[in-house]
C-alpha cells in the first residue's frame, strides 16, 4: 500500500491571516507538490493555472501545486484529487486544507479519523491556527469560534503583533495560553513562516515525545504558578469553580488544606472565560486495562462534545509496553507504544483540552479507576 499523504489543517478566525499562509504555498517557488483546498478562489487570487478537473475546479499552479475549491464534502474532494493524481500523473506530496474563518476544526479532523477511505489514504500532520493579535481579545469576548480554534491547535501562528502594544500582545499570549497551554507559538512578525514551519511537524497524533513535552510544559507552568502564589497572593479554587484572591495570607479565611497523593499528580491551568482549559493528570500506579477502557468510554459518553483534544500514555498492569491513546471529541483510538525499559519511571500521563470539563471530577474518577 502507498504511503499515506499527510494533511495540514489551517484554522483561524476571519481576517487572522490564513490567506497569507495559503498564498505562500501557492505562489512561491518550492519543490513541494501540495494540493491546497480552499473555500473561495477570490481570496487567494489564483492565476496562471492549468485546469485538471472542471467539475471539481482543480487547477495546477506554475509551481506544481494544485488548488481546489471545496464544493462537496471533504471525502469527495480528496477522492477527486487522488483521481487526478492517478489519471494525470500529477504528484501530490501533501494536502493543505483551509477551514472557513468561522469553522470549528474538530468535525474536519474527526472526518479524517472516522471515514475509512480517508483513514486509509491520508494522515493528519498538524492543525495550525492563526491568531489575530489585534482583534483576538475582542473576538473571544463576543464569539466562541476563535477560542475553539486555539484550543484545537497543535501549533499557533501569531499575526499582527506590530499593530498592538507590547502590553496588549502580552495579554493576548496570556489568553491564548489560558486556552491551550501546550501548542507551540510562533510570532509571524518575529519569524516569518517558512514551509518547514508548516509541514512535516507530526504534531496531531499522540506520541511519547509529544506527551512528555506537554507534561514538561504543565510542570513548568505549575512551578511558575506556585512561585507567583508564594510571592504575591494565595489563590484558592472553591468547589463551585469561583476563586478567591487574597493578597494577605493572614487575612485569608479560605481552606488551604492541600491533598497530595504520591500515586496521582496533576497540573492544571486557569480556565479561560470561554470555559476552555487544558490540564494534565499523572499516575504512578499501574492501571487495569479493563478499568481504564471503561473509564475512557464513560469519559467520551459524558463529555464527548466538550473534549476538543485528549491524549495519553498509559502504564498498564501486566503489559511490558506503553499504551498510547488519543481522541477528538467522540472519536478516540488506542495503539501500542514502545516497550518499557527496566530503569525508567513507569507512569501514566493524560492530557486534556476542552470546554467546561469538570477537572476535579475527572481527576477523582481517574484515581478511583486506578484503585479498582
Amino acid at each position: 500500500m502507498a504511503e499515506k499523504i499527510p494533511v495540514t489543517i489551517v484554522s483561524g478566525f476571519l481576517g487572522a491571516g490564513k490567506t497569507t499562509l495559503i498564498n505562500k504555498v501557492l505562489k512561491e517557488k518550492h519543490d513541494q507538490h501540495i494540493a491546497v483546498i480552499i473555500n473561495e478562489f477570490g481570496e487567494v487570487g489564483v492565476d496562471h493555472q492549468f485546469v485538471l478537473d472542471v467539475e471539481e475546479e482543480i487547477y495546477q499552479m506554475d509551481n506544481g501545486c494544485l488548488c481546489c475549491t471545496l464544493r462537496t464534502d471533504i471525502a469527495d474532494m480528496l477522492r477527486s484529487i487522488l483521481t487526478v493524481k492517478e489519471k494525470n500523473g500529477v504528484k501530490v506530496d501533501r494536502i493543505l486544507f483551509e477551514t472557513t474563518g468561522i469553522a470549528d476544526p474538530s468535525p474536519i479532523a474527526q472526518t479524517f479519523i472516522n471515514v475509512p477511505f480517508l483513514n486509509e489514504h491520508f494522515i493528519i500532520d498538524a492543525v495550525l491556527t492563526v491568531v489575530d493579535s489585534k482583534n483576538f481579545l475582542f473576538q473571544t469576548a463576543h464569539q466562541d469560534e476563535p477560542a475553539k480554534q486555539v484550543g484545537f491547535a497543535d501549533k499557533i501562528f501569531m499575526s499582527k503583533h506590530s499593530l498592538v502594544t507590547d502590553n496588549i500582545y502580552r495579554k493576548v499570549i496570556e489568553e491564548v495560553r489560558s486556552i491551550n497551554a501546550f501548542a507551540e507559538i510562533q510570532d509571524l512578525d518575529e519569524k516569518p513562516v517558512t514551509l518547514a514551519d508548516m509541514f512535516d511537524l507530526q504534531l496531531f497524533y499522540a506520541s511519547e515525545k509529544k506527551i512528555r513535552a506537554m507534561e514538561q510544559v504543565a510542570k513548568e507552568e505549575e512551578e511558575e504558578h506556585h512561585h507567583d502564589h508564594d510571592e504575591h497572593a494565595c489563590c484558592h479554587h472553591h468547589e463551585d469553580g469561583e476563586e478567591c484572591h487574597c493578597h494577605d495570607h493572614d487575612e485569608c479565611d479560605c481552606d488551604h488544606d492541600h491533598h497530595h497523593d504520591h500515586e496521582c499528580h496533576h497540573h492544571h491551568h486557569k480556565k479561560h472565560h470561554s470555559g476552555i482549559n487544558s490540564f494534565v493528570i499523572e499516575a504512578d500506579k499501574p492501571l487495569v486495562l479493563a478499568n481504564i477502557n471503561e473509564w475512557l468510554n464513560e469519559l467520551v459518553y459524558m463529555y464527548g462534545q466538550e473534549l476538543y483534544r485528549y491524549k495519553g500514555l498509559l502504564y498498564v498492569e501486566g503489559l511490558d509496553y506503553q499504551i498510547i491513546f488519543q481522541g477528538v471529541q467522540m472519536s478516540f483510538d488506542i495503539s501500542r507504544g514502545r516497550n518499557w525499559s527496566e530503569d525508567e519511571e513507569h507512569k501514566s500521563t493524560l492530557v486534556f483540552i476542552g470546554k467546561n470539563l469538570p477537572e476535579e471530577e475527572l481527576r477523582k474518577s481517574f484515581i478511583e479507576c486506578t484503585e479498582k
Side-chain angles (χ1 to χ4, degrees):
M1 178 183 165
E3 188 174 344
K4 292 183 180 182
I5 299 174
V7 177
T8 299
I9 299 173
V10 178
S11 178
F13 204 63
L14 298 167
K18 297 190 302 298
T19 303
T20 302
L21 300 184
I22 302 298
N23 276 329
K24 186 170 191 67
V25 171
L26 285 177
K27 298 184 177 181
E28 285 193 6
K29 296 295 182 182
H30 50 72
D31 60 357
Q32 298 274 333
H33 296 85
I34 307 167
V36 182
I37 303 175
I38 60 178
N39 294 288
E40 293 294 339
F41 278 137
E43 295 179 359
V44 295
V46 174
D47 51 18
H48 307 296
Q49 67 270 19
F50 177 72
V51 180
L52 294 177
D53 188 304
V54 175
E55 184 177 347
E56 291 291 352
E57 294 189 89
I58 300 176
Y59 302 95
Q60 186 160 24
M61 312 300 292
D62 288 343
N63 64 358
C65 289
L66 302 184
C67 189
C68 335
T69 53
L70 187 64
R71 297 302 185 193
T72 54
D73 65 24
I74 299 170
D76 288 342
M77 181 76 256
L78 290 173
R79 277 194 182 92
S80 297
I81 290 174
L82 286 183
T83 299
V84 166
K85 176 176 178 285
E86 295 168 2
K87 179 180 175 183
N88 298 69
V90 176
K91 190 175 182 181
V92 178
D93 295 324
R94 63 186 68 256
I95 306 289
L96 180 65
F97 185 91
E98 177 203 15
T99 70
T100 65
I102 57 174
D104 173 2
S106 55
I108 299 168
Q110 284 191 89
T111 301
F112 279 94
I113 295 172
N114 294 333
V115 176
F117 166 77
L118 297 183
N119 196 263
E120 179 183 355
H121 293 281
F122 304 93
I123 183 170
I124 299 178
D125 180 49
V127 178
L128 312 177
T129 296
V130 186
V131 171
D132 182 338
S133 301
K134 183 179 179 181
N135 298 300
F136 185 71
L137 297 178
F138 177 83
Q139 290 167 346
T140 55
H142 295 84
Q143 303 278 347
D144 292 332
E145 285 77 14
K148 284 183 180 179
Q149 292 164 351
V150 168
F152 203 78
D154 295 306
K155 183 173 182 178
I156 295 167
F157 293 115
M158 304 297 299
S159 68
K160 307 181 187 179
H161 180 178
S162 60
L163 301 182
V164 300
T165 65
D166 289 342
N167 186 48
I168 293 296
Y169 186 72
R170 186 168 57 252
K171 289 181 178 179
V172 174
I173 293 296
E174 289 174 355
E175 289 281 285
V176 168
R177 277 288 173 238
S178 72
I179 299 168
N180 187 336
F182 306 114
E184 176 188 345
I185 295 177
Q186 180 175 332
D187 186 331
L188 294 179
D189 284 353
E190 293 182 359
K191 185 182 184 296
V193 70
T194 65
L195 295 192
D197 297 318
M198 298 174 62
F199 302 129
D200 290 323
L201 303 179
Q202 298 179 15
L203 293 176
F204 183 81
Y205 281 95
S207 67
E208 181 183 8
K209 181 179 178 180
K210 176 71 174 172
I211 293 167
R212 293 301 184 213
M214 290 176 159
E215 175 188 6
Q216 184 60 35
V217 167
K219 288 180 178 178
E220 289 172 358
E221 294 214 352
E222 188 79 359
E223 289 172 1
E224 183 179 340
H225 167 77
H226 283 306
H227 175 75
D228 292 341
H229 178 94
D230 294 337
E231 291 284 333
H232 304 291
C234 75
C235 172
H236 178 68
H237 291 258
H238 292 279
E239 291 183 358
D240 59 3
E242 295 296 323
E243 297 178 1
C244 82
H245 296 275
C246 311
H247 294 275
D248 186 338
H249 283 267
D250 295 334
E251 296 179 2
C252 180
D253 59 357
C254 301
D255 177 11
H256 289 278
D257 182 19
H258 299 283
H259 299 279
H260 300 277
D261 186 332
H262 75 282
E263 290 189 339
C264 187
H265 318 282
H266 66 275
H267 309 281
H268 60 88
H269 306 274
K270 182 179 178 181
K271 183 177 288 188
H272 187 259
H273 61 72
S274 64
I276 300 175
N277 65 331
S278 50
F279 56 92
V280 174
I281 302 175
E282 297 175 87
D284 300 324
K285 188 174 181 179
L287 307 172
V288 176
L289 187 57
N291 294 345
I292 193 64
N293 189 54
E294 179 183 357
W295 185 81
L296 285 171
N297 279 287
E298 289 180 359
L299 178 77
V300 171
Y301 177 77
M302 294 293 293
Y303 308 109
Q305 294 302 319
E306 285 75 42
L307 285 164
Y308 293 172
R309 303 288 295 275
Y310 49 108
K311 305 181 181 186
L313 185 68
L314 304 179
Y315 168 36
V316 177
E317 184 178 66
L319 299 182
D320 57 2
Y321 53 86
Q322 301 170 343
I323 294 291
I324 295 176
F325 83 89
Q326 70 166 12
V328 175
Q329 290 189 328
M330 304 296 290
S331 305
F332 79 91
D333 58 38
I334 294 177
S335 60
R336 175 173 176 163
R338 67 169 177 83
N339 287 354
W340 292 103
S341 60
E342 292 183 4
D343 58 348
E344 71 176 311
E345 181 183 12
H346 292 34
K347 64 178 181 179
S348 298
T349 304
L350 298 86
V351 181
F352 298 93
I353 302 174
K355 182 172 183 178
N356 296 323
L357 296 178
E359 183 180 343
E360 296 303 326
E361 184 177 324
L362 291 182
R363 183 175 302 110
K364 180 181 178 182
S365 66
F366 182 73
I367 293 172
E368 291 174 350
C369 172
T370 66
E371 293 176 345
K372 288 182 179 179

